[in-house]
Structure formats: structure tokens, C-alpha cells
Amino acid sequence: MTQTGMTSPHLQRWPLHSLLIAMATLLLVLALLSLATGPLGLGFAESLRALLPDSPLPAHLQLVVQQIRLPRTLLCITVGAILGLCGAVMQGLFRNPLADPGIIGVSGGAALGAALAIVLLAPLSMVWQQRLGIGLLPLFAFLGGALTTTLVYLLGTRGGRTSVTVMLLAGVAVTALSGAAIGLLTYLADDQMLRDLSLWQMGSLAAGKPRDILLSAAALFGLLIFFMRDAGALNALLLGEPEARHLGIAVQPLKRRLILLTAAGVGVAVSTAGLIGFIGLVVPHLVRLIAGPNHHRLLPLSVLLGATLLLAADMLARIVLAPAELPVGIITALLGAPFFLWQLIRHRHSALE
């Protein structure tokens, strides 16, 4: 299945910088609104004043904005941007608008790593948290995603060539095995472990810490640099691997590089925010409808729209059941699953015509 779909000729004629400015402005507006969103009644102006060093607001209100809402907003932006960017690369690599970063098993592996840390290594994780300031859960989630991606890549590579189809099937198999192992760990877990595991698997940005923000921001910056360097090669790959080789593209090193970088990026996002689905699926497709398939436009716009969409979902999660809060993964699933089904039905009709 190749990338197809309607695009807007009018919007495609817009210069890239105009689209970037428009989407960056929307993201900035949502980020400011995010500071005023939550169960504590704080107005928009009060939330902005709470950021000032000499703010006249009470200390507890400054604490809410500066140490809870602001870190959460920043983490939301960086994680959403990573997922949107990695989704665009995966769809370009697989030449399929229904592809998702989790398709190569990174999400399943990260979930298994987190389950191991929560169920089997809880005492050790507490020791690490006290001595090093970081628990084992983020570390094991990242390692789980990296190891499963490496396994999928090795299974899909033979004779110096990587088969995307074999990688896809291997990713499905590894995800199924990870799910079975998580089921066993769930059976062995106590009530508190079950709650921790369930909340992590549904995704949450509520506990954003400075180190998580710095890690995800550094990952986003590095990924964007490397992926933009390969934007022309991704455009050539959309024509097919033989055509890309005729154009002088080293296809095998390109696929290896893109797969490993995507796994690293998604691993960072998952380790800091838990499992958040459908952002990597929905965002690149929406950007493609607006700006076309050119990766020089698609990649930076996917960064902005990914951040915007996840930030909007997180704000919605905070207000739907206020003062209670829904995990953001539930919101993204409720928004993304119907979109995925619509795309699946549309592509099925296209294939049958």
C-alpha cells in the first residue's frame, strides 16, 4: 500500500515558512492556555503573572504554575513533537500512511521493560530513586524498546538487505510476545503494582520532571537534525527502493539509520510519558493533507502538529472529568482510533476500485 490521499492544492502553494509560523502560533496559544488549565481555578492572566520572578500571587499558586503546569506543558510539547516526527519517518520508510512507530515493536518492548521494573524490581527501583534521583522504570522502558527494535531489525535483515515486510511481521510477533509477558507479570502483581502499570500503559504527562524535559528536548533536537538531512532520500524512497537506488541513494544504510533513530526517539518518549498511541499515525497524515508528501515540509510541520495535538489532548484530559483527570493515552486513543478506521476503510475502497 503506497502513500495516497487527497491534499489541499491551495495550502500546498503556501510557503513553508508561512505554514510554520501559523502552526507555531497555534502551538504557542495552546501552550499559554495549558498554563491556565486544571482543577485549580487560575485565570489566564494570573497564570502568566505566576511565571514572573517577582509575581504578587501567593506562593502556592506560583508553585502550581511553575512546578506542575509549566513542566507538564513543556514535556507535552517535546513528546508530541517526537511522536509526530517519528511517525512521519516511519510512514515514509514503509511508504504507507497507516504505519506507526509502534509497528516495529518499540512500544511493546518498552511496555514490557516498564512492567519488569514495576513488578519484579520495585524495591531496587526505590533504591535507585533515592540515591540517583531516577527510578528503573524509564531506564527499563527505554532499554526494552531499544532491544526489541534491534531484534526486529536483525530478523528483517539478511545478506546485507533489510526487508520492510519481514520487519513488519517480526514487529507484530514481538509485540504479541511482549503482550503475553506483560499478562503474566500482571497476574503476579499486587494491587499497587497493577495500578502503577495500568497508569503507565495509559500514558501520563502529569509527573514531568526537568530531566525528562531535557532528555526529550535533546532527543527531539537531534532527531530533527538527522531526519532533515535525510528528507531528500525519504522523498526518493517514496518512488520505491529500485528507483531510489538508481537516484544514488544508499537504501540499506538509510533504512538502518532511520529505524534505529526512530526507535531511540520513541523509546525516549515512551520512557518519559508512558504509552501514548496514535499521535505518530494521525499527525503525519494530517500534515500530508495540508502540505503534501515532500519531507522537507512534512517533517518540521509534523513536529509542530504533533506537539499541538498532544497538548490539546492533555488539556482535554484535565478538564473532561475535572477535578479528576483522565490519562492522556485514553484521549489520544479515542481521537485516533476512529481516524485510523476511516483511513483503513478509505484505502480499502481505493484498493478495490
Side-chain angles (χ1 to χ4, degrees):
M1 187 186 298
T2 57
Q3 294 194 41
T4 59
M6 298 180 294
T7 54
S8 170
H10 175 69
L11 288 176
Q12 284 190 60
R13 288 195 294 267
W14 281 27
L16 176 60
H17 69 270
S18 298
L19 290 172
L20 289 173
I21 291 173
M23 295 182 67
T25 301
L26 175 61
L27 177 59
L28 177 60
V29 170
L30 280 180
L32 295 176
L33 290 174
S34 175
L35 297 178
T37 302
L40 182 63
L42 265 177
F44 180 74
E46 289 179 312
S47 298
L48 293 183
R49 284 201 299 269
L51 296 175
L52 300 176
D54 54 349
S55 174
L57 294 177
H60 72 280
L61 296 182
Q62 296 182 51
L63 178 68
V64 168
V65 174
Q66 295 178 10
Q67 299 189 27
I68 298 178
R69 292 185 182 176
L70 180 60
R72 179 173 186 156
T73 299
L74 294 176
L75 182 63
C76 208
I77 290 173
T78 53
V79 169
I82 289 174
L83 294 176
L85 178 62
C86 291
V89 171
M90 278 292 97
Q91 291 183 8
L93 177 64
F94 283 87
R95 301 187 297 280
N96 189 330
L98 301 179
D100 180 84
I103 204 170
I104 55 176
V106 60
S107 297
L112 177 57
L116 287 170
I118 292 172
V119 178
L120 299 184
L121 301 173
L124 182 59
S125 184
M126 293 179 62
V127 173
W128 276 51
Q129 183 71 46
Q130 293 172 354
R131 295 184 178 179
L132 303 178
I134 182 173
L136 288 179
L137 194 153
L139 176 62
F140 270 60
F142 178 79
L143 291 177
L147 290 174
T148 52
T149 303
T150 302
L151 175 61
V152 168
Y153 176 77
L154 292 176
L155 290 174
T157 302
R158 183 178 181 183
R161 291 180 176 271
T162 301
S163 170
V164 174
T165 302
V166 174
M167 275 196 61
L168 171 62
L169 297 175
V172 172
V174 168
T175 300
L177 288 174
S178 299
I182 292 171
L184 177 60
L185 291 171
T186 300
Y187 179 78
L188 298 175
D190 59 27
D191 291 342
Q192 183 59 46
M193 292 175 180
L194 282 174
R195 180 172 177 79
D196 293 342
L197 183 57
S198 297
L199 289 176
W200 189 87
Q201 287 183 309
M202 289 186 286
S204 176
L205 298 146
K209 299 178 178 62
R211 63 172 180 270
D212 296 331
I213 298 169
L214 291 175
L215 176 62
S216 55
L220 172 62
F221 183 73
L223 288 173
L224 187 58
I225 291 176
F226 282 109
F227 287 154
M228 287 302 296
R229 290 173 54 188
D230 288 328
L234 277 168
N235 288 338
L237 196 61
L238 292 178
L239 303 173
E241 291 188 19
E243 290 78 4
R245 289 191 180 93
H246 286 310
L247 292 174
I249 304 298
V251 173
Q252 183 61 24
L254 173 67
K255 290 193 292 184
R256 179 170 58 247
R257 184 165 62 250
L258 293 179
I259 290 166
L260 295 179
L261 286 174
T262 298
V266 176
V268 168
V270 167
S271 68
T272 56
L275 293 178
I276 299 175
F278 292 102
I279 296 293
L281 169 69
V282 173
V283 166
H285 191 81
L286 292 178
V287 174
R288 201 176 295 110
L289 294 177
I290 296 171
N294 185 347
H295 283 84
H296 290 286
R297 295 160 63 90
L298 180 64
L299 296 180
L301 292 175
S302 293
V303 166
L304 291 174
L305 187 58
T308 301
L309 188 59
L310 185 56
L311 188 57
D314 184 58
M315 292 169 61
L316 190 60
R318 284 183 254 171
I319 63 177
V320 168
L321 296 178
E325 180 180 309
L326 278 176
V328 68
I330 293 178
I331 300 295
T332 59
L334 289 174
L335 296 175
F339 180 87
F340 179 82
L341 291 174
W342 173 68
Q343 285 297 307
L344 188 62
I345 292 171
R346 192 166 67 85
H347 281 276
R348 184 190 66 176
H349 288 331
S350 300
L352 294 176
E353 289 177 357

